[in-house]
Amino acid sequence: MRILVASSEAHPLIKVGGLADVAGSLPVALRDLGQDARLILPAYPQAVKRVRELRTLGDLQLSLSQTQVRILGGLLPNREVPVYLVEAPAYFCREGNPYTDTSGRDWGDNAERFLLFCEAVVRISLGCPILDWRPDILHCNDWQTGLAPALLHRNDQAPGIVFTIHNLAYQGLFDRETFDRLRLPEELWSLDGLEFHQQFSFIKGGIVFADRVNTVSPTYAREVQTLEHGCGLHGLLSALGDRFSGILNGIDYQVWNPAADPHIPQPYDRDSFSLKAENKLALQREFGLPRNEEALLFGYIGRLFAQKGVDLILAILPRLLAQPNVQIIFQGSGETGIEQALLTAQETYPDRIGVFLGYDEVRAHRIEAGSDAFLMPSRFEPCGLNQLYSLRYGTVPIVRRTGGLADTVVDAGMAGIETGKSTGFHFEAPSAEDLWGAVQRSCTLFWQHPQAWRRMALNGMAQDFSWEASARQYLQLYQAALAPARERKALP
Ligand code: ADP
């Protein structure tokens, strides 16, 4: 099957969040299963720099965007995955990240930028002379690609279209004037189209017009069909029936493997689990915390936004740190208020809390390897990756029972530890009280039942969340999306 994966980020070319991990890994896993999967991205300077064997394939004139773009082609730096880059320097060559300027403000022309990207994706999906390749399946990801399915609507030559929602909270909403300015077909402005409460919604393009829609865990797929988590789209998603499903993300075990991780001071595996402690000592040194092998060291890595529930951790800090042998390390960046609160907490407890504000992939490996437990108190979590890295690194995850966290971390109590089932701790409500309950249980297990703790960590390390299983499920989804595409083509 020829599969074109369209995404606005892909690791290791450019990354803002979990979408990049998926877009970078899924095509690799699909190719390992014998499929011809390729990637298409905007030509951000970071991506241009990293793509191997980059060459110009040709130019495309885009009618709605009223501009010409250049299509570049090459390979992912570390894998044999073909990549197409849509070059439009006025739109994509900027300081900042794919969505915001350096101060975190959305680019004022995001609608224009991603319309342009979608138009290029559409042209390639329909087969254009500069490419000599045409996909059977177009796999769009998140709102930035939502206009592609909308523009392919009613085109009987369209490939099968799959749209994946990585986070429903980001919808690509703009006003009616923007819709008019983009000169989109008027018929798309309707409740069965891109209109969403008098606004213009990119994500609806994907949800309404793709042949199959999925999100990144079965539990999140159920949650977003409820008023509480549906961000206003629960009715539409429920109405999709069996065209909507959840497929868990995998992780890249070549990158996240404690037995052969070049970024950690002391590699280890299940048989040499006691060596993990060396990483804790190194991490304490790195963050200027007292050397203390007995300490229960909690880690946190992630974007610092309300979604992630870092405020709940901050709320329990006085109680948590009232215990002598507890340390905690935070790494992340995001809202200024949360960043500031972390710095204040560090000033208050300088020998107990380590903070690194910023994005640092290599340091993330050291935190995963050096922590005993990992905190992930997300208010919602479509899939989540860090809990999966934690499981692999024998770093016991403490998670809120929501979305992908509920699907990947098993809290089956003491009995479940012995049978190999329990891999971490759950809590229910997004409240400091409930988080505190789970953290207390983790403290009890760590200090009073060290053998059981070790067993739980080893249970986690034995889990398999590799991409292969997820890729096989995507293949089934693609198969399902091919049927309507065939029907379209058979129409007179
Ligand atoms: P989200 O997509 O909501 O940000 P995920 O858990 O799905 O959350 O994925 C986040 C990805 O970004 C993970 O790979 C995580 O390790 C990484 N990440 C987030 N913040 C940082 C940071 N400050 N330093 C290093 N890696 C980070």
Side-chain angles (χ1 to χ4, degrees):
M1 213 185 290
R2 292 180 298 261
I3 302 150
L4 182 64
V5 178
S7 171
S8 65
E9 38 180 301
H11 184 72
L13 301 178
I14 179 154
K15 170 165 163 173
V16 177
L19 168 61
D21 294 282
V22 179
S25 300
L26 177 60
V28 178
L30 289 167
R31 292 187 80 85
D32 287 346
L33 294 177
Q35 310 302 319
D36 181 3
R38 307 187 180 194
L39 255 175
I40 183 163
L41 254 79
Y44 305 113
Q46 300 91 323
V48 171
K49 228 183 320 176
R50 292 183 183 136
V51 167
R52 265 191 303 141
E53 298 171 34
L54 194 65
R55 62 206 161 86
T56 298
L57 300 175
D59 295 338
L60 293 177
Q61 183 66 37
L62 303 180
S63 55
L64 294 171
S65 301
Q66 297 189 331
T67 188
Q68 184 165 301
V69 295
R70 179 153 291 176
I71 305 298
L72 312 175
L75 295 166
L76 275 188
N78 46 353
R79 308 289 171 90
E80 297 303 311
V81 176
V83 184
Y84 301 118
L85 297 179
V86 180
E87 189 178 63
Y91 294 82
F92 299 126
C93 285
R94 299 174 180 182
E95 298 279 315
N97 81 24
Y99 320 118
T100 65
D101 64 21
T102 44
S103 67
R105 258 192 312 264
D106 285 348
W107 296 112
D109 59 351
N110 270 346
E112 281 83 356
R113 297 170 73 230
F114 291 108
L115 166 67
L116 176 140
F117 178 54
C118 287
E119 271 200 279
V121 168
V122 164
R123 291 289 294 280
I124 289 175
S125 298
L126 293 172
C128 58
I130 60 171
L131 234 62
D132 192 24
W133 186 85
R134 179 182 178 160
D136 306 306
I137 288 290
L138 169 63
H139 182 173
C140 291
N141 293 277
D142 274 353
W143 73 262
Q144 297 85 0
T145 60
L147 290 188
L151 293 172
L152 284 165
H153 169 56
R154 299 199 179 196
N155 189 317
D156 58 15
Q157 294 307 305
I161 306 175
V162 168
F163 183 72
T164 301
I165 301 167
H166 297 263
N167 191 337
L168 191 64
Y170 299 97
Q171 302 187 355
L173 291 179
F174 302 90
D175 56 18
R176 167 77 209 212
E177 288 82 69
T178 307
F179 179 86
D180 293 335
R181 205 169 60 240
L182 300 192
R183 290 176 288 270
L184 289 162
E186 183 60 32
E187 58 161 23
L188 289 177
W189 185 266
S190 80
L191 290 180
D192 300 327
L194 305 180
E195 184 185 351
F196 179 70
H197 300 287
Q198 289 87 50
Q199 286 190 291
F200 160 34
S201 162
F202 267 59
I203 202 171
K204 272 192 75 185
I207 296 174
V208 173
F209 297 110
D211 297 307
R212 287 290 181 279
V213 181
N214 78 304
T215 182
V216 288
S217 68
T219 295
Y220 189 62
R222 281 192 299 276
E223 286 172 345
V224 293
Q225 295 180 56
T226 65
L227 182 63
E228 189 191 352
H229 293 286
C231 305
L233 291 166
H234 53 282
L236 184 60
L237 290 167
S238 305
L240 292 177
D242 59 8
R243 286 201 293 134
F244 181 51
S245 60
I247 299 178
L248 272 177
N249 291 333
I251 63 171
D252 188 336
Y253 284 132
Q254 280 190 33
V255 178
W256 294 95
N257 174 12
D261 185 335
H263 305 309
I264 66 176
Q266 175 61 63
Y268 59 97
D269 59 17
R270 292 182 80 230
D271 295 329
S272 58
F273 183 70
S274 52
L275 293 178
K276 179 171 163 64
E278 293 297 319
N279 295 297
K280 174 154 74 179
L281 297 178
L283 194 62
Q284 288 166 337
R285 214 171 25 249
E286 177 173 348
F287 277 86
L289 298 175
R291 179 191 163 90
N292 180 355
E293 206 170 324
E294 306 306 312
L296 168 48
L297 176 50
F298 292 91
Y300 173 87
I301 303 166
R303 294 181 300 115
L304 300 176
F305 289 95
Q307 176 199 338
K308 299 293 180 180
V310 184
D311 54 307
L312 305 181
I313 307 178
L314 286 164
I316 66 164
L317 277 184
R319 278 178 279 183
L320 181 58
L321 297 177
Q323 310 179 81
N325 274 339
V326 171
Q327 297 174 335
I328 178 161
I329 283 175
F330 295 92
Q331 169 165 314
S333 61
E335 277 171 23
T336 323
I338 304 178
E339 292 189 354
Q340 201 48 53
L342 288 178
L343 291 177
T344 307
Q346 190 192 20
E347 275 166 29
T348 314
Y349 305 96
D351 58 346
R352 313 290 292 283
I353 298 183
V355 174
F356 174 80
L357 294 182
Y359 188 91
D360 185 338
E361 195 115 340
V362 170
R363 200 189 302 252
H365 284 243
R366 296 198 294 267
I367 296 175
E368 284 290 0
S371 304
D372 296 299
F374 193 87
L375 294 168
M376 218 156 155
S378 306
R379 291 198 158 77
F380 67 95
E381 194 59 77
C383 176
L385 294 171
N386 271 305
Q387 84 280 13
L388 301 179
Y389 304 151
S390 299
L391 289 170
R392 194 49 151 200
Y393 280 66
T395 303
V396 173
I398 300 171
V399 303
R400 180 154 175 259
R401 199 161 68 78
T402 184
L405 300 175
D407 291 335
T408 54
V409 177
V410 180
D411 184 343
M414 270 301 213
I417 296 178
E418 284 315 310
T419 58
K421 271 179 81 180
S422 283
T423 57
F425 298 92
H426 283 177
F427 64 98
E428 282 292 329
S431 69
E433 280 324 302
D434 275 27
L435 170 61
W436 176 235
V439 166
Q440 273 181 309
R441 286 199 289 135
S442 75
C443 293
T444 305
L445 193 71
F446 186 80
W447 283 308
Q448 294 176 19
H449 307 279
Q451 283 311 318
W453 180 276
R454 181 188 158 91
R455 183 70 203 269
M456 188 186 251
L458 295 179
N459 291 346
M461 291 178 85
Q463 303 302 306
D464 181 4
F465 289 104
S466 60
W467 262 107
E468 189 186 328
S470 310
R472 285 188 194 284
Q473 291 185 51
Y474 272 103
L475 267 183
Q476 285 177 3
L477 196 65
Y478 298 155
Q479 288 290 357
L482 274 181
R486 285 203 193 97
E487 278 166 28
R488 281 194 288 273
K489 285 177 186 159
L491 287 175

